[in-house]
Amino acid sequence: QVQLVESGGGLVQAGGSLRLSCVASGRIFSLNTMGWFRQAPGKQRELVARIFIGGSTYYADSVKGRFTISRDNAKNTVYLQMNSLKSEDTAVYYCNMGVSPRTYWGQGTQVTVSS
């Protein structure tokens, strides 16, 4: 069994920054794609960013140039640096990791951006 634990969420003013972390623990033999999703009230969960095994990344258009995803395989951790936050970034953020042979989700961490 694998567990993902997120941290770093909170309340921040518009224009501010937060850094989310997600650590995987348990029976981990190999880590594959890692990502961050978010879900705002009344909306569907959406992909924010992904980072692949080789280090290449993908970002949703809404966060390009403001968010940076990174990973530390030695620490089984994925990060999301969020800068220039906007009120529309308010959501619960979930990490997602491919840990062979399946995918796992974290419990979510709330990010609230006040305008």
Side-chain angles (χ1 to χ4, degrees):
Q1 190 68 9
V2 174
Q3 296 80 40
L4 304 185
V5 178
E6 298 129 335
S7 61
L11 174 64
V12 64
Q13 288 188 331
S17 298
L18 284 174
R19 188 191 194 207
L20 305 183
S21 300
C22 176
V23 181
S25 61
R27 295 175 59 84
I28 299 170
F29 299 105
S30 72
L31 290 171
N32 300 320
T33 301
M34 300 180 181
W36 288 93
F37 289 70
R38 67 186 180 187
Q39 188 167 18
K43 295 188 177 181
Q44 288 189 331
R45 190 173 297 189
E46 64 175 358
L47 174 63
V48 175
R50 267 202 174 113
I51 184 165
F52 301 92
I53 293 176
S56 59
T57 57
Y58 166 85
Y59 296 94
D61 288 343
S62 58
V63 306
K64 278 181 183 176
R66 300 187 299 122
F67 290 11
T68 303
I69 189 170
S70 60
R71 60 192 287 167
D72 185 334
N73 293 328
K75 297 181 178 179
N76 297 333
T77 301
V78 61
Y79 304 97
L80 185 68
Q81 177 67 43
M82 305 185 293
N83 299 328
S84 302
L85 283 161
K86 305 175 181 180
S87 57
E88 51 262 44
D89 295 317
T90 294
V92 178
Y93 284 71
Y94 298 90
C95 71
N96 172 276
M97 288 192 190
V99 183
S100 295
R102 51 167 291 190
T103 299
Y104 293 87
W105 290 90
Q107 81 287 353
T109 185
Q110 177 70 45
V111 171
T112 303
V113 184
S114 63
S115 56

